[in-house]
Amino acid sequence: MANLKLIDIKKSYGKTQVIHGVNLEVLDGEFCVLVGPSGCGKSTLLRMIAGLEAISDGSILIDEDRVNDISAAKRGLAMVFQSYALYPHMSVRQNLAFGLENLKLDKTEIEKRIQEAARLLRMEEYLKRRPGQLSGGQMQRVAIGRAIVREPSIYLFDEPLSNLDAELRVATRVELKALHERLGNTMVYVTHDQVEAMTMADKIVVLNEGIIEQVGAPLELYNSPANKFVAGFIGSPKMNFLDYSSLPESLKKFAPENSSIFGIRPEHLSITEENSLPLEVNSVEQLGSDSYLYGVTIGEQELSIKLNNQTDIRAQQKVDVGFDLDNAHWFDSAGKSL
Amino acid sequence: MTAVINFFTRTQGKKKLSLVDWVSYIFLFLGFLIIFLPVLWLLLNSIKSQFLLQKLDTNLLPMDYERIGRATVYGPEGKEIFMMKDLPSWVLYWSDLSEDERSQHDIDSFISQYGDKEFYALRSHFGLVPGQSKELIINKNLPEWLIKYPSMFPSAKKEYDPESVISVLNIEEVRLLSEYLGLKPYKPNGFTSQIFVTTVDSETSEVTEYSVSRISANKDTVNARLISNPQAGIVKLPKNEIILNKSLKPAWINYTNPLTKNVAGMDFDAVRCLNNSVFVTIVATLITLLINSMAAFALSKYRFNGQIIFFIIILATLMVPASVLIVGIFKMVSVTGLTGSLWGVIIPGAATPTGVFMLRQYMLTIPDELLEAARMDAASEWTIYWRIVLPLALPAVAVLGILSIIWRWNDLILPMIAVSTTKAAYTIQLCLLDFQGEYIAQEHYQLAMTVVSLIPTTLVFVFLQKYITTGIATTGIK
């Protein structure tokens, strides 16, 4: 159990700076998800926390102790890798025991912890197998088990679900969340999938090009994004953005001062004539419970709509789209929320 | 057995042999012959007798010819040559036998069956003349200078008169001492074993028997002596007309003599030689594997200043011919005081650039994430090397191990540089070299011991080759 503090963390490879001063505090027992598009530096940040990557500038504090110069082996953290990184020449049991043997624990304690982890992750029956004989989901469990037996102060996850198929990913997501609730440890989880972030996190950190765009609870980020990037990144399908200048006067009058961009989520649009814009529908997706319309509106700007029912609107049809202005977002020219 | 038959009669799917099957089997068979024939040749030659080897016998099997004894006896009637048929082989090969084997035969009772000239010939052949002469000199109280007389210089011999001294003895005793002292008309008698050949007259189909001393491979004729009338002199017989009576006769003494320290005129100890070689091979291979894999681990998995330069230096040593290094290694060995010690053979070759390069290339394929996972698992760098990288590089390590064992076992240059002055530290290769001296050539022992020296490397290869084919590191990581 520990809290984690990053103070003005920077990272450069030669002259290229990839992390531009990150400040972050993860509280004890919190499930913190680092999310962002590829190349935003989230994995680098996690590896710096783990101690696998040198820190160019700034400090990392674990329980208020500066750990910059402590090696990965001595930080007492555990990490689950994207490729699982199971030792292929060892059985599952040996994989789990390896870290504990390095810590010079006695045999009965090692056996006890392995049995506990095996029961927790339901992998008793394949303790004797080699990683090559396991399915992707089983390897995933072993990788998590290897972290659990260590009883680390902080768990680090580096996109652990990205190698699983969709169905298994959802199931494992739920399990991981349950595991966190049971163990109550601090966890830092890196993903590029905003659905994973939304469903699992206590706290989401949205990273973009080496800086933190916003930190907050999932719904907080959803409901009141700090800027256009977060607004666009969180939520699926992504938020619609329209130029302020292209809006009709009937909408402009609701805008705060200095507005430059108008944003609205697809589910806050409806087919109505009130406060409406014309939409030429390009394609329709019917999912049964709900329907998605994709099309273009004034100034050839793209617009998507989520309807909570089935619809008989066809492609190429022209409809009027109404706005739920209570849920509208306004951004200034720099993309900041107003 | 049925599994073996199934294995060698497999076809490409269908029951009948297709063209591809034929080509494959022919190819495999030819390949097998190309590789196996030289080995077979070595094995079969190692059981040929010294006589056959010195004649550069080209038969594949150790076929020995039927032999006949030819004796030359000197007497009052002059030189007489005659043939002795039906002698047992131990008599014919008496000069090749070891002390142990000679002691198993009762010469005295054997020789007593013969009389006259045959007795004199065999007495010389068995080397009984000096012993019996000395006994006679002592028993008859003859002057002691007689014993030394045969080895005297001619000028010294003039001062003595042996004829008058022995004239008091009876005729048999005079003959014995005359043979010993080399007094005319007697001389030491000769006895050789010769090849028994026959010719058949094409018209009368009359069989004529000859004895031949050698059949040389590059001549069309042989020099033969008529057995019915040996005194008649030598005739030249065309090689294609003679008939040889051959029989299979493996010379196991090629193996038994050196292995039981029974090599005449040489201090050959097979056990000591093999022990030295085994020690050098095992210790040197272990050190080589350890040093090379550690160097390869550092070069492949760490980033440090000068990494490229170190790698280039290691690669550059690959391009230096080994013979250039001989003087340098000799100086190194002698300065460090390792001359004559097996460590002088082991240490100079411990780090091989080939091995470092090979292991480095293999270790590059081990994912860095495994090492990072181990670091997260609180493993020390040594633990990472010993428990993660080394087991995963096992296929490459096994290959290097096999190569190192073969290099070390067959190495002649390093032992010559380091231990050639100390007989006790000779490795098997140096010991084998000893059979080929300036004045003696014992190829029959050399070939046999070469076969013995091949056994360990063959066993090692058979045992370790499964590690090459088992790709342990290929499973696991996606």
Side-chain angles (χ1 to χ4, degrees):
Chain A
M1 298 286 183
N3 63 1
L4 170 72
K5 221 179 256 177
L6 309 185
I7 301 168
D8 207 22
I9 293 294
K10 286 178 182 145
K11 176 71 188 175
S12 324
Y13 292 109
K15 281 180 184 164
T16 337
Q17 195 168 2
V18 291
I19 307 275
H20 307 270
V22 164
N23 286 290
L24 177 67
E25 185 168 9
V26 183
L27 299 176
D28 188 14
E30 215 169 20
F31 197 118
C32 172
V33 174
L34 304 179
V35 70
S38 339
C40 72
K42 54 192 189 301
S43 279
T44 311
L45 197 57
L46 191 76
R47 289 166 59 81
M48 283 197 282
I49 297 170
L52 297 173
E53 203 83 63
I55 298 156
S56 303
D57 196 13
S59 316
I60 293 180
L61 307 181
I62 295 174
D63 275 341
E64 308 305 323
D65 294 327
R66 192 168 184 272
V67 296
N68 283 33
D69 302 320
I70 296 177
S71 70
K74 299 209 171 105
R75 286 192 194 182
L77 313 180
M79 184 157 167
V80 176
F81 291 84
Q82 184 172 3
S83 67
Y84 316 138
L86 301 178
Y87 313 121
H89 56 299
M90 299 183 190
S91 70
V92 169
R93 178 187 295 277
Q94 287 168 322
N95 263 283
L96 297 179
F98 182 70
L100 303 177
E101 284 164 6
N102 291 331
L103 293 172
K104 309 251 184 314
L105 295 186
D106 67 66
K107 284 212 167 106
T108 49
E109 173 69 11
I110 292 176
E111 189 55 32
K112 200 185 102 209
R113 289 202 194 178
I114 290 175
Q115 290 305 334
E116 262 171 38
R119 202 173 50 246
L120 192 66
L121 296 168
R122 300 191 306 281
M123 52 186 191
E124 289 106 329
E125 67 269 31
Y126 49 83
L127 277 179
K128 281 187 185 138
R129 289 200 217 154
R130 293 257 174 100
Q133 301 163 308
L134 301 179
S135 70
Q138 289 170 327
M139 281 171 44
Q140 173 68 55
R141 280 162 196 283
V142 177
I144 294 170
R146 193 168 62 179
I148 288 176
V149 291
R150 291 275 316 281
E151 297 180 358
S153 53
I154 300 174
Y155 288 86
L156 306 173
F157 294 91
D158 188 4
E159 308 209 17
L161 305 184
S162 58
N163 280 340
L164 300 179
D165 59 60
E167 203 179 332
L168 203 54
R169 196 179 305 169
V170 175
T172 315
R173 204 163 73 197
V174 175
E175 266 179 55
L176 263 181
K177 182 73 183 157
L179 191 71
H180 174 242
E181 267 154 30
R182 198 161 350 149
L183 297 170
N185 282 60
T186 313
M187 295 189 178
V188 180
Y189 186 107
V190 161
T191 181
H192 62 268
D193 182 351
Q194 51 98 11
V195 179
E196 273 174 34
M198 292 297 285
T199 51
M200 298 167 83
D202 294 326
K203 177 194 271 176
I204 294 182
V205 178
V206 182
L207 277 167
N208 185 31
E209 290 176 351
I211 53 162
I212 292 183
E213 296 281 358
Q214 191 176 3
V215 179
L219 286 183
E220 191 185 327
L221 263 64
Y222 187 83
N223 292 332
S224 41
N227 51 43
K228 189 184 161 216
F229 177 81
V230 176
F233 192 78
I234 304 287
S236 173
K238 58 183 273 190
M239 184 186 274
N240 297 301
F241 295 109
L242 299 175
D243 265 351
Y244 175 77
S245 53
S246 67
L247 294 177
E249 284 306 318
S250 59
L251 278 170
K252 273 183 180 169
K253 68 181 182 221
F254 296 102
E257 245 178 292
N258 298 328
S259 288
S260 163
I261 294 160
F262 167 67
I264 185 127
R265 297 198 182 274
E267 61 266 37
H268 300 141
L269 294 170
S270 53
I271 310 296
T272 163
E273 281 166 28
E274 197 186 345
N275 295 329
S276 66
L277 282 176
L279 175 75
E280 190 182 339
V281 178
N282 283 338
S283 69
V284 181
E285 287 176 356
Q286 300 262 25
L287 298 182
S289 61
D290 26 50
S291 319
Y292 295 97
L293 307 181
Y294 301 95
V296 290
T297 180
I298 42 172
E300 293 296 306
Q301 298 180 95
E302 288 181 6
L303 204 63
S304 55
I305 305 169
K306 184 188 175 205
L307 301 173
N308 292 324
N309 47 24
Q310 297 179 6
T311 178
D312 50 9
I313 298 171
R314 296 274 164 271
Q316 318 314 330
Q317 201 174 333
K318 286 191 173 121
V319 293
D320 286 328
V321 180
F323 297 81
D324 176 2
L325 285 172
D326 292 343
N327 289 308
H329 301 271
W330 300 93
F331 305 97
D332 65 13
S333 51
K336 235 173 132 337
S337 275
L338 292 169
Chain B
M1 192 61 206
T2 48
V4 174
I5 290 168
N6 278 338
F7 182 81
F8 281 112
T9 53
R10 283 193 298 194
T11 56
Q12 204 192 32
K14 285 163 245 158
K15 285 262 170 189
K16 263 180 72 178
L17 284 172
S18 67
L19 181 67
V20 177
D21 291 324
W22 279 112
V23 173
S24 309
Y25 277 115
I26 289 169
F27 182 77
L28 283 175
F29 182 68
L30 286 178
F32 174 76
L33 284 187
I34 286 171
I35 292 166
F36 190 68
L37 273 184
V39 179
L40 189 71
W41 181 88
L42 171 66
L43 288 176
L44 293 171
N45 267 272
S46 76
I47 48 171
K48 282 185 181 173
S49 66
Q50 183 177 20
F51 178 80
L52 285 179
L53 286 171
Q54 281 175 350
K55 281 191 329 90
L56 304 176
D57 175 69
T58 48
N59 286 315
L60 204 54
L61 291 170
M63 300 298 272
D64 209 348
Y65 307 110
E66 194 179 314
R67 295 311 184 86
I68 185 165
R70 192 200 81 180
T72 316
V73 171
Y74 300 89
E77 304 87 38
K79 176 171 139 186
E80 192 183 350
I81 297 173
F82 59 93
M83 298 295 164
M84 290 176 76
K85 279 190 182 178
D86 304 325
L87 288 172
S89 66
W90 64 267
V91 178
L92 289 170
Y93 296 103
W94 181 257
S95 50
D96 293 340
L97 300 184
S98 64
E99 290 296 328
D100 278 356
E101 287 162 324
R102 287 182 183 185
S103 63
Q104 287 166 14
H105 300 286
D106 186 359
I107 310 169
D108 295 328
S109 63
F110 178 79
I111 208 166
S112 61
Q113 303 165 26
Y114 295 90
D116 204 21
K117 60 182 183 183
E118 285 167 342
F119 171 78
Y120 299 134
L122 286 174
R123 187 170 68 180
S124 295
H125 180 50
F126 289 133
L128 299 174
V129 175
Q132 290 182 358
S133 301
K134 284 171 195 168
E135 210 176 304
L136 184 69
I137 290 165
I138 291 162
N139 288 344
K140 297 273 168 179
N141 280 324
L142 296 175
E144 276 194 22
W145 54 262
L146 277 175
I147 296 176
K148 291 184 196 145
Y149 186 82
S151 54
M152 283 178 184
F153 285 111
S155 57
K157 282 182 177 171
K158 278 177 192 159
E159 292 174 24
Y160 298 99
D161 184 14
E163 269 110 348
S164 61
V165 175
I166 61 170
S167 58
V168 297
L169 302 167
N170 69 30
I171 185 145
E172 280 302 314
E173 288 165 345
V174 169
R175 175 160 193 141
L176 175 69
L177 280 187
S178 297
E179 277 181 27
Y180 176 61
L181 299 170
L183 301 179
K184 282 179 181 155
Y186 301 104
K187 266 190 192 175
N189 302 318
F191 183 93
T192 55
S193 89
Q194 297 219 312
I195 303 167
F196 178 81
V197 303
T198 49
T199 56
V200 179
D201 193 301
S202 55
E203 288 169 15
T204 60
S205 58
E206 189 184 346
V207 176
T208 325
E209 294 175 334
Y210 293 93
S211 84
V212 171
S213 57
R214 77 165 71 83
I215 298 171
S216 87
N218 47 12
K219 279 191 188 145
D220 292 331
T221 55
V222 290
N223 295 333
R225 196 179 280 275
L226 198 59
I227 286 176
S228 54
N229 182 11
Q231 301 281 36
I234 299 219
V235 291
K236 278 190 193 295
L237 294 178
K239 220 178 182 180
N240 50 8
E241 283 179 18
I242 60 172
I243 300 162
L244 290 161
N245 296 322
K246 292 183 194 173
S247 62
L248 202 59
K249 204 175 240 172
W252 297 116
I253 57 160
N254 293 357
Y255 286 88
T256 51
N257 279 354
L259 289 177
T260 53
K261 299 195 204 175
N262 245 328
V263 177
M266 254 182 74
D267 166 31
F268 179 82
D269 184 346
V271 175
R272 190 192 62 210
C273 296
L274 287 171
N275 266 347
N276 286 339
S277 264
V278 166
F279 178 78
V280 166
T281 305
I282 290 179
V283 174
T285 298
L286 289 181
I287 295 178
T288 300
L289 291 183
L290 188 73
I291 291 182
N292 285 3
S293 62
M294 280 164 69
F297 174 54
L299 284 171
S300 63
K301 292 298 174 196
Y302 290 132
R303 302 283 159 268
F304 53 90
N305 287 337
Q307 186 176 25
I308 306 270
I309 294 189
F310 275 116
F311 188 55
I312 288 173
I313 290 173
I314 289 173
L315 276 190
T317 58
L318 267 178
M319 329 220 163
V320 180
S323 43
V324 173
L325 302 174
I326 291 177
V327 176
I329 290 174
F330 174 74
K331 288 206 147 188
M332 225 164 69
V333 168
S334 63
V335 162
T336 47
L338 292 173
T339 314
S341 152
L342 287 177
W343 291 103
V345 185
I346 292 169
I347 293 172
T352 57
T354 328
V356 174
F357 181 67
M358 198 175 84
L359 291 179
R360 173 190 177 265
Q361 296 308 107
Y362 193 86
M363 285 179 185
L364 284 178
T365 65
I366 298 174
D368 285 343
E369 264 195 344
L370 281 181
L371 276 68
E372 289 175 349
R375 276 188 196 115
M376 294 305 296
D377 267 343
S380 65
E381 294 305 308
W382 173 261
T383 312
I384 292 175
Y385 160 72
W386 189 248
R387 292 201 52 196
I388 307 289
V389 173
L390 205 56
L392 289 177
L394 200 59
V397 171
V399 171
L400 181 61
I402 289 175
L403 287 179
S404 171
I405 287 172
I406 291 171
W407 290 337
R408 287 326 189 98
W409 188 268
N410 292 340
D411 193 13
L412 179 66
I413 299 291
L414 258 182
M416 275 180 116
I417 294 171
V419 296
S420 58
T421 51
T422 312
K423 200 108 185 180
Y426 270 25
T427 60
I428 184 73
Q429 307 300 338
L430 277 182
C431 293
L432 288 179
L433 205 63
D434 253 10
F435 284 119
Q436 201 85 53
E438 201 171 345
Y439 302 111
I440 51 163
Q442 296 179 304
E443 285 104 343
H444 57 311
Y445 293 146
Q446 197 175 27
L447 277 170
M449 289 303 102
T450 305
V451 172
V452 170
S453 82
L454 289 178
I455 296 170
T457 38
T458 312
L459 286 182
V460 160
F461 195 80
V462 168
F463 175 70
L464 273 186
Q465 59 101 18
K466 77 174 182 192
Y467 284 100
I468 306 174
T469 46
T470 323
I472 293 169
T474 51
T475 53
I477 289 271
K478 276 197 165 180

